[in-house]
Amino acid sequence: MAFRTSIFDLPMIHGLLWFPLLLVFVLLTALGWLERRRQNLFRVWAEDSELSKLDGSGAARLKQGMLSWSSFEAGRFQEQGNFEVTKLEMLELMALTSGEAPLTQESQGRCRLRLIGNGQEMDVPFADAEQARRWVDQLMARARCDL
Protein backbone atom coordinates (compact mmCIF):
# COMPACT_ATOMS: atom_id res chain seq x y z
CA MET A 1 0.00 0.00 0.00
CA ALA A 2 1.66 3.15 -1.15
CA PHE A 3 0.95 6.59 0.20
CA ARG A 4 -0.32 8.84 -2.54
CA THR A 5 -0.88 12.52 -2.33
CA SER A 6 -2.98 14.31 -4.83
CA ILE A 7 -1.71 17.54 -6.30
CA PHE A 8 -4.79 19.30 -4.92
CA ASP A 9 -3.97 18.50 -1.26
CA LEU A 10 -0.66 20.41 -1.14
CA PRO A 11 -1.98 23.97 -1.78
CA MET A 12 -4.66 23.49 0.87
CA ILE A 13 -2.10 22.44 3.49
CA HIS A 14 0.19 25.27 2.42
CA GLY A 15 -2.68 27.76 2.81
CA LEU A 16 -3.59 26.43 6.24
CA LEU A 17 -0.01 26.90 7.40
CA TRP A 18 -0.08 30.60 6.40
CA PHE A 19 -3.51 31.32 7.90
CA PRO A 20 -2.22 32.03 11.49
CA LEU A 21 0.32 34.47 10.04
CA LEU A 22 -2.48 36.27 8.22
CA LEU A 23 -4.44 36.55 11.49
CA VAL A 24 -1.41 37.99 13.29
CA PHE A 25 -0.94 40.53 10.50
CA VAL A 26 -4.58 41.65 10.72
CA LEU A 27 -4.34 41.92 14.52
CA LEU A 28 -1.12 43.98 14.39
CA THR A 29 -2.63 46.26 11.76
CA ALA A 30 -5.71 46.87 13.93
CA LEU A 31 -3.57 47.58 17.01
CA GLY A 32 -1.42 50.00 15.00
CA TRP A 33 -4.51 51.81 13.79
CA LEU A 34 -5.81 52.12 17.37
CA GLU A 35 -2.47 53.53 18.59
CA ARG A 36 -2.37 56.04 15.75
CA ARG A 37 -5.91 57.14 16.61
CA ARG A 38 -4.95 57.51 20.28
CA GLN A 39 -1.94 59.67 19.34
CA ASN A 40 -4.04 61.86 17.04
CA LEU A 41 -6.66 62.37 19.76
CA PHE A 42 -3.85 63.24 22.18
CA ARG A 43 -2.48 65.90 19.80
CA VAL A 44 -5.89 67.57 19.71
CA TRP A 45 -6.38 67.21 23.49
CA ALA A 46 -2.93 68.61 24.31
CA GLU A 47 -3.02 71.45 21.79
CA ASP A 48 -1.70 74.77 23.18
CA SER A 49 -0.40 73.05 26.32
CA GLU A 50 2.77 74.26 28.02
CA LEU A 51 3.68 70.71 29.01
CA SER A 52 2.17 67.38 27.96
CA LYS A 53 2.82 63.64 28.06
CA LEU A 54 1.27 60.49 26.65
CA ASP A 55 2.37 57.06 27.86
CA GLY A 56 0.93 53.72 28.85
CA SER A 57 -0.44 55.17 32.10
CA GLY A 58 -2.43 57.89 30.36
CA ALA A 59 -2.10 61.50 29.30
CA ALA A 60 -1.36 64.70 31.21
CA ARG A 61 -1.14 68.35 30.25
CA LEU A 62 -0.40 71.70 31.81
CA LYS A 63 -2.55 74.37 30.23
CA GLN A 64 -3.11 77.89 31.61
CA GLY A 65 -1.90 76.93 35.08
CA MET A 66 -4.16 73.86 35.32
CA LEU A 67 -2.68 70.36 35.35
CA SER A 68 -5.13 67.80 33.93
CA TRP A 69 -4.69 64.09 33.44
CA SER A 70 -6.78 61.52 31.62
CA SER A 71 -6.86 57.88 30.68
CA PHE A 72 -7.68 56.57 27.22
CA GLU A 73 -10.91 54.59 27.41
CA ALA A 74 -13.43 53.59 24.77
CA GLY A 75 -11.76 55.61 22.04
CA ARG A 76 -11.53 58.93 23.92
CA PHE A 77 -9.70 60.59 26.77
CA GLN A 78 -11.57 60.22 30.07
CA GLU A 79 -10.74 63.02 32.53
CA GLN A 80 -9.27 61.65 35.78
CA GLY A 81 -8.42 64.84 37.66
CA ASN A 82 -7.29 68.47 37.72
CA PHE A 83 -4.93 70.42 39.92
CA GLU A 84 -4.21 74.14 39.93
CA VAL A 85 -0.44 74.60 39.76
CA THR A 86 -0.50 77.90 41.65
CA LYS A 87 -1.82 75.97 44.68
CA LEU A 88 1.04 73.46 44.50
CA GLU A 89 2.96 73.20 47.78
CA MET A 90 4.87 69.96 47.30
CA LEU A 91 5.55 67.25 44.71
CA GLU A 92 6.58 63.71 45.57
CA LEU A 93 7.50 60.78 43.37
CA MET A 94 5.90 57.67 44.78
CA ALA A 95 6.26 53.99 43.94
CA LEU A 96 3.20 52.80 42.09
CA THR A 97 2.50 49.59 43.97
CA SER A 98 4.18 49.86 47.36
CA GLY A 99 1.68 52.08 49.15
CA GLU A 100 3.17 55.28 50.53
CA ALA A 101 6.82 54.51 49.76
CA PRO A 102 8.68 57.31 47.98
CA LEU A 103 10.49 56.48 44.77
CA THR A 104 14.25 56.10 45.11
CA GLN A 105 16.69 57.74 42.69
CA GLU A 106 17.67 54.35 41.27
CA SER A 107 14.09 53.28 40.61
CA GLN A 108 12.86 52.96 37.06
CA GLY A 109 9.55 52.09 35.47
CA ARG A 110 6.03 52.89 36.57
CA CYS A 111 5.42 55.42 39.34
CA ARG A 112 3.05 58.20 40.37
CA LEU A 113 3.52 61.89 40.92
CA ARG A 114 1.82 63.05 44.11
CA LEU A 115 0.60 66.65 44.03
CA ILE A 116 0.00 68.29 47.39
CA GLY A 117 -1.54 71.71 47.91
CA ASN A 118 -4.65 73.61 48.97
CA GLY A 119 -5.69 70.74 51.27
CA GLN A 120 -5.65 68.22 48.40
CA GLU A 121 -3.54 65.20 47.51
CA MET A 122 -3.75 63.83 43.98
CA ASP A 123 -1.73 61.20 42.14
CA VAL A 124 -0.79 61.34 38.45
CA PRO A 125 0.42 57.98 37.06
CA PHE A 126 3.55 57.76 34.91
CA ALA A 127 4.89 54.81 32.93
CA ASP A 128 8.49 56.07 33.14
CA ALA A 129 10.24 57.34 36.29
CA GLU A 130 12.71 59.48 34.29
CA GLN A 131 9.88 61.33 32.60
CA ALA A 132 8.21 61.83 35.98
CA ARG A 133 11.45 63.30 37.39
CA ARG A 134 11.58 65.78 34.50
CA TRP A 135 7.96 66.73 35.19
CA VAL A 136 8.77 67.40 38.87
CA ASP A 137 11.44 69.91 37.87
CA GLN A 138 9.26 71.59 35.26
CA LEU A 139 6.16 71.77 37.46
CA MET A 140 8.09 73.23 40.39
CA ALA A 141 9.59 75.85 38.06
CA ARG A 142 6.11 76.72 36.75
CA ALA A 143 4.65 76.84 40.25
CA ARG A 144 7.38 79.26 41.39
CA CYS A 145 6.84 81.42 38.28
CA ASP A 146 3.09 81.56 38.86
CA LEU A 147 3.33 82.39 42.58
Side-chain angles (χ1 to χ4, degrees):
M1 210 158 158
F3 179 70
R4 291 186 79 192
T5 304
S6 117
I7 194 158
F8 298 108
D9 292 340
L10 291 176
M12 183 178 211
I13 290 172
H14 185 72
L16 288 175
L17 291 174
W18 283 97
F19 187 69
L21 187 60
L22 177 64
L23 290 177
V24 168
F25 175 75
V26 169
L27 178 66
L28 288 175
T29 303
L31 290 173
W33 180 82
L34 286 172
E35 178 60 22
R36 183 173 171 89
R37 183 166 181 242
R38 182 177 84 118
Q39 289 178 4
N40 286 335
L41 288 171
F42 171 74
R43 282 188 194 104
V44 171
W45 182 78
E47 197 170 42
D48 298 327
S49 297
E50 302 163 38
L51 190 59
S52 62
K53 71 116 179 159
L54 175 66
D55 60 22
S57 297
R61 70 179 175 192
L62 177 63
K63 189 174 185 178
Q64 298 174 350
M66 186 66 71
L67 177 64
S68 306
W69 57 98
S70 301
S71 61
F72 188 72
E73 297 173 7
R76 64 188 178 95
F77 283 101
Q78 194 76 355
E79 187 98 3
Q80 299 294 317
N82 291 307
F83 194 90
E84 193 174 342
V85 174
T86 57
K87 308 287 186 198
L88 186 63
E89 296 169 8
M90 191 167 88
L91 284 172
E92 294 178 317
L93 274 176
M94 308 295 283
L96 191 62
T97 56
S98 58
E100 298 302 310
L103 196 69
T104 64
Q105 284 296 338
E106 301 82 33
S107 296
Q108 298 295 319
R110 300 175 75 85
C111 63
R112 57 196 159 108
L113 183 61
R114 175 158 292 163
L115 307 163
I116 301 171
N118 201 28
Q120 294 180 308
E121 276 189 23
M122 299 184 129
D123 290 336
V124 180
F126 277 79
D128 180 40
E130 278 305 310
Q131 184 181 29
R133 287 182 184 99
R134 287 190 302 270
W135 267 65
V136 166
D137 296 337
Q138 293 175 355
L139 284 175
M140 287 306 286
R142 303 253 194 238
R144 283 191 281 272
C145 289
D146 290 341
L147 290 177

